[in-house]
Amino acid sequence: VQLVESGGGLVQPGGSLRLSCTASGFTFSTYLMYWVRQAPGKGLEWVSTCTPTGGTTYYTDSVKGRFTISRDNAKNTLYLEMNSLKPDDTALYYCTAGDYSRMDYWGKGTLVTVSS
């Protein structure tokens, strides 16, 4: 099983980034997919969830209206479109796969830094 995140980087406040997560080794289309982040010196924070078909999505309040989660099951890929980025969004962003009670698989993360 492998989850590989990409797309992180340094961006100015108000800017945008698109994160990708490519999955392999499991049946991607049957799993709930999550984005979870960890800011420097802080704990893990759930960001967003996407159901297996992509038909339903959930977001933590601090990113609602700015972030969009989506998936392409034909490409085994999960995305996170991030707009209007703020310094508080600076974190290591992880892609995870699981069900409603647990996250079974984790990637190694991609770093997003929002700074002027």
Side-chain angles (χ1 to χ4, degrees):
V1 171
Q2 197 170 22
L3 293 170
V4 180
E5 301 93 338
S6 61
L10 174 63
V11 62
Q12 292 186 342
S16 299
L17 282 175
R18 187 193 198 202
L19 306 184
S20 299
C21 170
T22 302
S24 60
F26 65 102
T27 308
F28 178 79
S29 62
T30 65
Y31 278 75
L32 265 74
M33 295 299 298
Y34 301 85
W35 287 100
V36 176
R37 67 186 179 185
Q38 186 168 28
K42 296 188 178 181
L44 293 170
E45 178 189 23
W46 166 74
V47 175
S48 184
T49 302
C50 187
T51 55
T53 63
T56 303
T57 57
Y58 306 93
Y59 301 92
T60 191
D61 285 347
S62 64
V63 309
K64 282 180 182 176
R66 300 189 298 121
F67 290 10
T68 303
I69 191 172
S70 62
R71 64 194 294 164
D72 185 338
N73 286 343
K75 296 182 178 179
N76 285 359
T77 302
L78 178 74
Y79 303 99
L80 186 68
E81 185 76 35
M82 304 187 296
N83 298 312
S84 302
L85 282 161
K86 306 174 182 180
D88 284 351
D89 296 317
T90 294
L92 188 61
Y93 282 73
Y94 296 97
C95 165
T96 81
D99 59 24
Y100 282 106
S101 62
R102 65 188 187 193
M103 298 175 186
D104 294 317
Y105 309 128
W106 290 70
K108 294 183 178 180
T110 186
L111 182 63
V112 172
T113 303
V114 184
S115 175
S116 55

